[in-house]
Amino acid sequence: MLAPVLVGAQPSVEPGAAKSRIVTVRDGRAVRTFVPDPGVIRSMVDRGVMEVALRPDVKSAWLSLVTTNDVVGVKVYTRSGAVAGTRLPVAAAVVEGLLEAGLPPERIVVWDKRVSDLQAAGYFELAERYGIRIEGSADAGYDPEKFYETALVGRLVWGDLEFGEEGEGVGRKSFVSRLITREVTKFISIAPLLNHYDAGVTGLLYSLSLGSVDNTFRFEASRAHLNTATPELYAMEILGDRVALNIVDALICQYQGERQSLLHYSSILNELRFSRDPLALDVMSIRELERQREKAELPARKPDMELYHNAGLLQIGEFDPRKVTVETVRLD
């Protein structure tokens, strides 16, 4: 394997402490004037996957994470559009790696909650180019046998499984998409480095959890409920246990706004971050957002870390940055 080029100080790790590992791949050629370079990004994804998997080539690296019999769901975030959401070349590079590893195109599904968001962000191009599937979890419908239940009653909207129903207990369940319960067997989760005013970052925990179930307005209307529900959803066996790899698209960091592209509140970082630990990556992303706000001389705001503390209690990953090793690989 190519030896990593380590840049900058690494977080201290207490002797004998359990730790997570993050690989950051950086290439200053990746983005020019906010336009990603697909060829550079493919090299970054290949290197990141090999380093995380500790394998000498792309094929063996991917096959250590998934099998050719899996239906791999590449989870992206497109609600904020093509520039601020998961960038198309990053998802394309993942798809190309999976195809190189021998996965049949029909066993690769790039998905988000709504097909309309995927279409607006240009993702249908991937289906045409590679013969893979593009799906929306909400459009696939919801499985009445798989759900997350809480006493909090939601305001059901059209598309939710129980919309229009009445009776005791209606609105207390969030049902999991049939795309997940009946088709996808492994996830590759790719989240942008994008601010979120309640969750802190539109990150890996938020994107997969809220993107997989219905009746979510009851969580998003209250930070306290979001802090509890997001990690509990992710901890469901059918969700978090199936995640093979997490990637943070840190090519561009948008540190203000959350549902629209605001380039004047964005910094080009030219990085992709890889780990099997979604919590460690999300905590790292929140710290990065705070650094970028400080550099822009914006008013500091102390992030609410309760969601991520709760995720640590559920053993989803490592909450304490001191117990996380970060390896930085430079390709430029």
Side-chain angles (χ1 to χ4, degrees), residues 237-259:
E237 182 179 354
I238 202 167
L239 293 181
D241 286 358
R242 295 186 180 185
V243 178
L245 180 65
N246 301 281
I247 304 173
V248 173
D249 177 352
L251 297 172
I252 301 169
C253 169
Q254 182 172 309
Y255 48 85
Q256 291 283 82
E258 61 180 57
R259 292 183 182 173

Side-chain angles (χ1 to χ4, degrees), residues 1 96 151 158 168 197:
M1 177 183 295
E96 289 172 1
W158 187 88
E168 185 178 354
Y197 288 116

